[in-house]
Amino acid sequence: MQQNNGLDKNQLISFALFSMILIGAMFYFQNKQAKDQQLKDAQNKTAVTQKAPVNNAKPAIVTNLNDSVKTASIQQIELKNKELTLAISTLGGQISTVQLNEYKAYNKKTDVNDKPLLIFDKNNSSYGFQFKDKSGKFFNTKDLVFSPVQNGNSVTMQTTVNGATIQFIYTLLDKYIVDFNVKTQGLSQLVSDQKADFIWNYNVRGMEKGRSQEQTHTEFNYTFNDYKSFDYDGRTTMEEPKENLNWLAVKQQFFSAVIEPQKGFKNSKGSQEMIEEGEFLKKFNFNGQVDLANNELNEDFKWYFMPLDLPMLKSYDKNFDELLPLGWSFIGTLNRWFFIPMYNLITSWGLAAGWVIFLMTIIVKIILSPVMFKQHKLSAMMKVIRPEIDAVNEKNKGADAMKKQQETMAVYRKAGVNQMAGCLPGLIQVPIFYALFRFFPNMIDLRGKSFWFAKDLTAYDDVIKLPFHIPFLQDHLSIFAIACTVVILIYTIMTAGNMQQPTQEGMPNMKVLMYIFPVTFLFFLNTSASGLSWYYFVSNAINILIILVIKYWILDEKKIHAQIQQNKTKGPKPEGKFQKRMREMMEKAQEQQKVQNTGKKK
C-alpha cells in the first residue's frame, strides 16, 4: 500500500537543491568573513519572527538567487484572527500552515473531534509561480527564499532573482479570506514568455472519522464563465484547456481550500491520486496559467480556507455554494428549500440533533401519508382478489406468458385495481432518499453532534468493533445500521405477502430478492452517516405502525371485497393511457409471436 510521509517528490528535490546551495555558500564565504558579518548584522535588524513586533524596515535586496539563499534563514511569520491562524514561510514566500480556530479535527485515539484542524501543515502544500527565462530554463518561486516585513495582519515577502524583484503581499481578512497580491519589477528583462504557471501540489489531510466517506467527498471543484458555470472532478484528471477558471478549489467533506485569481487561470489541468492509508487522503496537483502584462506579473489573488456552511458560502456571491454537494437539479432544490430550512427551524427549538432528525422524519411521513394510504389500500385490494388471480394462472398453466398476462390484467381492470398506482410511493421515495443521502454527510451543523451511542451523526457509529476486517463492512458494526436493517426486513416481510409469485419458469422470485435487499442495505449503511441510518430506522418503524393501523383500524377487507364486487357489476373502468399502451404492446407482441410460430410450422 502507498505510504505518505508528508513530502512529495517535488518537495524532496527542492530540499536537496536547497541543501546543496547552503553547502556551496559555506565554502564561498570562508574567505569573506567580514562581509558575511556585515550582511548578518543587516539581516538581524530586518528579520521578523512569529512573535516579533511590527517592523517597518525595508527588506534587504539581493542580486541573485544564491545571495537570497545565503542571506536569509527560513522563518515562519504568523498572522491570526478569530477564524484563522496562518504561518507564512520565507521559503517560497508561501502559506505553510492554515488552522481553522473555531473547528476541531477527528482524533482517532479519543474518538472525538479534539485535534487542531490544520488544512496546511507539515509541508503538505507547496505552491508557486513558474517562469521560463530567456535561456529556456525554468525557475519557480517556491524554491526561492524571501525576506519578510510584517505590519499587523499583513506581511510583505520580497526576493530578487538576477536583478528582478518579486513581492508577495499577504493580508489576513475576515470571513476566512487571505488577500494574496503578487508584484514584480524587472522580470521583463529575465523572462521570454507572456505567461507564468501557477503550480500547486497538495496532499489533503483527513479531518473526519469516516475515511472512505471523506475520500469520496474530496475532489477538485472550479467555476468559470464569470462565476456562472460550475464543474467538479473526483476521479483522476481535470482538464480545462478552453475555459478561464474564476476559482479552483480542493474540497473536502466539510472544508475547502480555494485559490481565486483576479484574471482567472487559463489552460488548467490537474491530477489526483488516492492515498490508501495514513493521515492523508488524496494527492492533488494543479497547473494553471496566468497572463503577464509587458512580461511582468502584477495580479491580485485571494485564498479562502473555509468551512462549507451554506449561508456563509452564499454570502460571497461567487458561486461558492456549489461546493456543498447537495445533489443535482431537483435533489439539490429539495435539500436547499425543504430539508435544510426544516432542519434549521426544528433546531431553533433547542432540541438535540437526533430528535431533530426524528421530527423531520415524522413531518415527511405526514406529508406522504395520502400517498402511503393509497399504496396500502391497493395492497389490501390485491390481497382480496388474489384467489381470482391464482385461478387465472391455474387455468392458463399451459398457455403462453403473454396470454396469461393479458387475462391477469383483465381481472385487475374489472376489479378496478390499478397496479401502476402502487409504483408511485416508491418513485416518490427515490428523490427523498438520494436527497437525504446528500444531506446527512454534508450538513456541517450536524458535524460532531452526538446522539445516544453515535458520537458524530455525520459519521458511522462503531460501538461494536471487530477484531478483523470484512470487505465493505470494514472493522466494525454500526448499531444504527443494524437496527435500520432489522426494521426494513420486518417491513418487507409484512408487505411481501401480497406480492404475486412468478408464473413462468426462469422468472426471478421477487419475494426472495426483497428479503435479500435489507441485508445488502447493511453493507451500505455500515460506513455511512449514522444520521442517515437513524432517519431510515425511524422512517421504516413508522411504516410498520402505519401498516398495522391501516390494517386493523382503517381498512376493512370485507368492505373492500364488497367494493370490488360492485366494481365488477359496473364493468371495467376506462383504461388509462399507460394501461392502454401496455395492452396494445402486449397484443402486438402476441400477434408477432403467432406469425413466428406459423412460419416455423411451415
Side-chain angles (χ1 to χ4, degrees), residues 531-591:
L532 182 66
S533 300
W534 169 237
Y535 176 92
Y536 278 102
F537 169 80
V538 176
S539 178
N540 284 280
I542 293 174
N543 283 343
I544 292 170
L545 290 176
I546 289 173
I547 289 176
L548 294 175
V549 169
I550 290 175
K551 182 177 180 180
Y552 292 105
W553 283 282
I554 298 178
L555 292 181
D556 187 337
E557 288 189 5
K558 291 182 178 179
K559 289 183 178 179
I560 292 174
H561 186 271
Q563 181 185 343
I564 289 174
Q565 298 305 320
Q566 187 179 3
N567 291 339
K568 289 180 180 179
T569 59
K570 296 178 181 178
K573 287 186 177 181
E575 289 181 311
K577 290 182 179 180
F578 182 82
Q579 289 177 310
K580 183 179 180 181
R581 190 174 300 174
M582 287 291 295
R583 179 179 56 78
E584 290 173 350
M585 287 173 61
M586 292 176 67
E587 289 174 353
K588 187 175 181 180
Q590 191 173 18
E591 290 176 4

Side-chain angles (χ1 to χ4, degrees), residues 37 108 116 140 166 173 246 249 429 505 522 536 556-557:
Q37 186 62 43
K108 191 174 183 180
N140 196 312
I166 300 174
L173 306 175
N246 301 119
Q429 291 286 345
E505 291 186 9
L522 173 64
Y536 278 102
D556 187 337
E557 288 189 5

Side-chain angles (χ1 to χ4, degrees), residues 262-308:
Q262 182 184 20
K263 299 175 184 176
F265 289 127
K266 296 180 180 178
N267 196 25
S268 299
K269 55 186 176 181
S271 64
Q272 53 192 300
E273 178 184 343
M274 196 82 75
I275 299 175
E276 296 300 330
E277 58 183 18
E279 66 174 313
F280 298 105
L281 303 172
K282 277 185 177 182
K283 180 185 294 184
F284 287 85
N285 299 285
F286 173 76
N287 187 323
Q289 292 179 0
V290 291
D291 291 332
L292 303 183
N294 298 320
N295 280 14
E296 298 286 350
L297 178 56
N298 292 291
E299 185 166 348
D300 294 337
F301 296 80
K302 279 186 173 63
W303 279 104
Y304 301 81
F305 304 102
M306 54 192 178
L308 300 182

Side-chain angles (χ1 to χ4, degrees), residues 112-301:
V112 293
N113 296 339
D114 60 9
K115 288 173 61 178
L117 199 150
L118 297 163
I119 294 180
F120 290 180
D121 192 44
K122 297 181 181 178
N123 299 320
N124 71 318
S125 172
S126 175
Y127 64 86
F129 296 92
Q130 181 172 277
F131 302 93
K132 183 179 180 181
D133 65 21
K134 292 181 179 180
S135 67
K137 295 180 180 178
F138 291 92
F139 65 94
N140 196 312
T141 59
K142 71 183 181 66
D143 301 320
L144 306 179
V145 175
F146 288 69
S147 297
V149 173
Q150 186 174 8
N151 186 2
N153 257 0
S154 180
V155 61
T156 298
M157 293 284 182
Q158 181 169 306
T159 189
T160 59
V161 184
N162 296 329
T165 303
I166 300 174
Q167 278 190 346
F168 291 168
I169 304 170
Y170 293 94
T171 304
L172 178 58
L173 306 175
D174 294 332
K175 292 185 67 176
Y176 304 94
I177 303 172
V178 183
D179 260 343
F180 173 35
N181 299 328
V182 181
K183 297 180 179 180
T184 67
Q185 187 175 0
L187 193 66
S188 57
Q189 303 300 317
L190 186 63
V191 301
S192 56
D193 277 357
Q194 292 291 325
K195 63 179 180 60
D197 291 322
F198 176 79
I199 299 175
W200 182 20
N201 302 313
Y202 180 27
N203 289 353
V204 175
R205 176 179 285 104
M207 310 284 190
E208 313 303 329
K209 182 175 183 176
R211 181 183 181 88
S212 60
Q213 181 174 252
E214 190 179 8
Q215 275 184 324
T216 301
H217 289 89
T218 302
E219 60 194 10
F220 277 124
N221 284 229
Y222 49 94
T223 191
F224 48 95
N225 189 24
D226 195 24
Y227 300 94
K228 296 175 184 175
S229 300
F230 172 84
D231 206 349
Y232 68 95
D233 192 286
R235 299 179 297 278
T236 53
T237 61
M238 62 87 71
E239 293 186 11
E240 291 292 346
K242 297 179 181 179
E243 302 294 347
N244 189 40
L245 302 194
N246 301 119
W247 51 255
L248 181 281
V250 174
K251 181 196 74 68
Q252 294 180 241
Q253 188 173 355
F254 293 109
F255 305 94
S256 185
V258 184
I259 179 73
E260 178 193 19
Q262 182 184 20
K263 299 175 184 176
F265 289 127
K266 296 180 180 178
N267 196 25
S268 299
K269 55 186 176 181
S271 64
Q272 53 192 300
E273 178 184 343
M274 196 82 75
I275 299 175
E276 296 300 330
E277 58 183 18
E279 66 174 313
F280 298 105
L281 303 172
K282 277 185 177 182
K283 180 185 294 184
F284 287 85
N285 299 285
F286 173 76
N287 187 323
Q289 292 179 0
V290 291
D291 291 332
L292 303 183
N294 298 320
N295 280 14
E296 298 286 350
L297 178 56
N298 292 291
E299 185 166 348
D300 294 337
F301 296 80

Side-chain angles (χ1 to χ4, degrees), residues 369-385 415-419 421-422 425 495 498 546-547 549-551 554-557 559-561 563-564 567 573:
S369 57
V371 180
M372 295 290 292
F373 176 77
K374 288 184 178 180
Q375 182 188 29
H376 292 299
K377 183 177 180 181
L378 174 66
S379 178
M381 293 175 74
M382 292 181 71
K383 182 179 179 181
V384 170
I385 64 171
V417 176
N418 182 4
Q419 284 181 289
T495 56
N498 298 327
I546 289 173
I547 289 176
V549 169
I550 290 175
K551 182 177 180 180
I554 298 178
L555 292 181
D556 187 337
E557 288 189 5
K559 289 183 178 179
I560 292 174
H561 186 271
Q563 181 185 343
I564 289 174
N567 291 339
K573 287 186 177 181

